[in-house]
PDB file of all heavy atoms in Angstrom:
ATOM      1  N   ILE A  60     -23.738  17.474 -25.418  1.00 98.00           N
ATOM      2  CA  ILE A  60     -24.087  18.069 -26.735  1.00 98.00           C
ATOM      3  C   ILE A  60     -25.611  18.376 -26.668  1.00 98.00           C
ATOM      4  O   ILE A  60     -26.411  17.493 -26.483  1.00 98.00           O
ATOM      5  CB  ILE A  60     -23.806  17.079 -27.879  1.00 98.00           C
ATOM      6  CG1 ILE A  60     -22.308  16.724 -27.908  1.00 98.00           C
ATOM      7  CG2 ILE A  60     -24.266  17.650 -29.194  1.00 98.00           C
ATOM      8  CD1 ILE A  60     -21.919  15.685 -28.967  1.00 98.00           C
ATOM      9  N   LYS A  83      -6.383   3.222 -14.596  1.00 96.00           N
ATOM     10  CA  LYS A  83      -5.605   2.342 -15.470  1.00 96.00           C
ATOM     11  C   LYS A  83      -5.798   2.798 -16.920  1.00 96.00           C
ATOM     12  O   LYS A  83      -6.902   3.200 -17.314  1.00 96.00           O
ATOM     13  CB  LYS A  83      -6.113   0.911 -15.347  1.00 96.00           C
ATOM     14  CG  LYS A  83      -5.712   0.220 -14.056  1.00 96.00           C
ATOM     15  CD  LYS A  83      -5.775  -1.288 -14.196  1.00 96.00           C
ATOM     16  CE  LYS A  83      -5.099  -1.910 -12.947  1.00 96.00           C
ATOM     17  NZ  LYS A  83      -5.018  -3.370 -13.085  1.00 96.00           N
ATOM     18  N   GLY A  92     -14.216   8.068 -28.606  1.00 98.00           N
ATOM     19  CA  GLY A  92     -12.913   8.087 -27.950  1.00 98.00           C
ATOM     20  C   GLY A  92     -12.990   8.266 -26.413  1.00 98.00           C
ATOM     21  O   GLY A  92     -11.966   8.456 -25.797  1.00 98.00           O
ATOM     22  N   GLY A 104     -40.175  18.074 -28.509  1.00 98.00           N
ATOM     23  CA  GLY A 104     -40.430  18.588 -29.834  1.00 98.00           C
ATOM     24  C   GLY A 104     -39.250  18.581 -30.804  1.00 98.00           C
ATOM     25  O   GLY A 104     -39.382  18.831 -32.008  1.00 98.00           O
ATOM     26  N   ASP A 301     -22.723   8.794   3.180  1.00 98.00           N
ATOM     27  CA  ASP A 301     -22.693   8.729   4.650  1.00 98.00           C
ATOM     28  C   ASP A 301     -23.345  10.007   5.236  1.00 98.00           C
ATOM     29  O   ASP A 301     -22.988  11.158   4.807  1.00 98.00           O
ATOM     30  CB  ASP A 301     -21.296   8.581   5.162  1.00 98.00           C
ATOM     31  CG  ASP A 301     -20.764   7.173   5.005  1.00 98.00           C
ATOM     32  OD1 ASP A 301     -21.494   6.330   4.510  1.00 98.00           O
ATOM     33  OD2 ASP A 301     -19.620   6.959   5.387  1.00 98.00           O
ATOM     34  N   LEU A 315     -42.037  11.650 -10.182  1.00 95.00           N
ATOM     35  CA  LEU A 315     -42.845  11.135  -9.028  1.00 95.00           C
ATOM     36  C   LEU A 315     -43.844  12.231  -8.619  1.00 95.00           C
ATOM     37  O   LEU A 315     -43.581  13.390  -8.855  1.00 95.00           O
ATOM     38  CB  LEU A 315     -41.896  10.782  -7.830  1.00 95.00           C
ATOM     39  CG  LEU A 315     -40.806   9.796  -8.103  1.00 95.00           C
ATOM     40  CD1 LEU A 315     -40.100   9.460  -6.814  1.00 95.00           C
ATOM     41  CD2 LEU A 315     -41.342   8.557  -8.719  1.00 95.00           C
ATOM     42  N   ALA A 328     -29.049  -2.457 -13.146  1.00 98.00           N
ATOM     43  CA  ALA A 328     -28.537  -2.016 -14.433  1.00 98.00           C
ATOM     44  C   ALA A 328     -29.641  -1.479 -15.278  1.00 98.00           C
ATOM     45  O   ALA A 328     -30.693  -2.099 -15.460  1.00 98.00           O
ATOM     46  CB  ALA A 328     -27.856  -3.173 -15.132  1.00 98.00           C
ATOM     47  N   VAL A 351     -25.230  -5.682  -2.165  1.00 97.00           N
ATOM     48  CA  VAL A 351     -26.510  -6.126  -2.736  1.00 97.00           C
ATOM     49  C   VAL A 351     -26.546  -7.646  -2.747  1.00 97.00           C
ATOM     50  O   VAL A 351     -25.645  -8.290  -3.300  1.00 97.00           O
ATOM     51  CB  VAL A 351     -26.776  -5.566  -4.114  1.00 97.00           C
ATOM     52  CG1 VAL A 351     -28.055  -6.152  -4.713  1.00 97.00           C
ATOM     53  CG2 VAL A 351     -26.782  -4.044  -4.114  1.00 97.00           C
ATOM     54  N   THR A 453     -35.553 -18.629 -10.577  1.00 98.00           N
ATOM     55  CA  THR A 453     -34.158 -18.920 -10.341  1.00 98.00           C
ATOM     56  C   THR A 453     -33.704 -18.367  -8.988  1.00 98.00           C
ATOM     57  O   THR A 453     -34.477 -17.622  -8.341  1.00 98.00           O
ATOM     58  CB  THR A 453     -33.264 -18.213 -11.401  1.00 98.00           C
ATOM     59  OG1 THR A 453     -33.193 -16.784 -11.138  1.00 98.00           O
ATOM     60  CG2 THR A 453     -33.828 -18.379 -12.795  1.00 98.00           C
TER      61      THR A 453
END
Side-chain angles (χ1 to χ4, degrees):
I60 299 177
K83 288 202 171 186
D301 284 1
L315 304 186
V351 175
T453 76

